[in-house]
Amino acid sequence: NDVLDYGSGLGFSVDYLLKQGFDVQAVDLNIEMITQCKKDYPDADFTLVNEQSLPFNDQSFDLVFSSYVLFEMSSLEKITAYLRNAYRVMKEQGYFIAIMASAQIYNPEYKSKLYHTNFTENYLRHSGSLVKMSYNEINMAFTDYFWTEADYRTAFTQAGLKICALY
């Protein structure tokens, strides 16, 4: 029941995990996010971390959960280091769940009522390049790094994680 939300952001996944009955530790790099989350979700423990390490003992968590974090990283080396940290704090029979966008989402011709991706940088996308999307409902654009499924598979393997399923 011990879960690490690794990159908790605004805490939406923390809220979900708490409602499922998990004991949640949450970490993020952004002090503003941590400050807001502590107010919004007082039943979880939030910790400010840096990119290099997690302040937890080896094999501390049954589940390490990461939602929309990996495409914010600028290199495969950073992704692999992040995944190695997750692997280190995950119990031997534990699980790591990563939610990330598929490579197809940045296709400029991709049609969605929720967002659009018809930006110049998306036509020239390649592993590690910046890509962009805009959510229609809030009229806000986001910039991410483009990684393929093969890139993610390589990083997971180099970090020592075995991929059980991919959806």
Side-chain angles (χ1 to χ4, degrees):
N1 284 333
D2 295 319
V3 176
L4 173 64
D5 187 344
Y6 193 6
S8 59
L10 290 172
F12 301 126
S13 53
V14 170
D15 184 48
Y16 174 79
L17 293 164
L18 287 170
K19 288 177 179 173
Q20 304 311 305
F22 292 110
D23 294 322
V24 181
Q25 290 274 338
V27 298
D28 203 278
L29 298 169
N30 186 311
I31 186 64
E32 289 85 12
M33 297 276 191
I34 295 291
T35 301
Q36 187 60 48
C37 286
K38 285 181 177 182
K39 292 176 189 171
D40 293 343
Y41 307 104
D43 293 335
D45 293 317
F46 291 91
T47 304
L48 180 67
V49 296
N50 62 44
E51 286 185 32
Q52 284 72 41
S53 64
L54 290 171
F56 305 109
N57 293 329
D58 294 357
Q59 298 188 13
S60 297
F61 298 97
D62 300 295
L63 171 65
V64 178
F65 185 82
S66 173
S67 182
Y68 299 117
V69 173
L70 298 178
F71 57 61
E72 294 181 5
M73 296 183 186
S74 61
S75 71
L76 284 177
E77 293 78 19
K78 286 185 177 184
I79 294 172
T80 302
Y82 174 90
L83 295 172
R84 281 190 184 122
N85 277 324
Y87 183 63
R88 181 186 65 77
V89 300
M90 189 175 71
K91 290 181 181 175
E92 190 172 325
Q93 298 300 315
Y95 288 91
F96 176 79
I97 296 175
I99 298 175
M100 52 207 157
S102 73
Q104 293 86 345
I105 200 169
Y106 300 106
N107 181 337
E109 283 94 34
Y110 189 82
K111 302 293 182 212
S112 171
K113 293 179 181 179
L114 300 176
Y115 54 86
H116 70 275
T117 56
N118 191 11
F119 295 100
T120 303
E121 48 270 78
N122 295 0
Y123 285 95
L124 306 171
R125 68 192 181 282
H126 56 84
S127 292
S129 68
L130 288 171
V131 288
K132 193 172 184 180
M133 74 168 26
S134 178
Y135 287 96
N136 298 330
E137 187 175 314
I138 58 175
N139 194 27
M140 182 180 282
F142 297 89
T143 303
D144 298 317
Y145 290 93
F146 179 79
W147 300 111
T148 66
E149 181 182 324
D151 294 328
Y152 286 126
R153 285 182 178 277
T154 297
F156 273 74
T157 300
Q158 289 177 350
L161 291 163
K162 177 184 170 193
I163 298 174
C164 299
L166 179 69
Y167 302 98

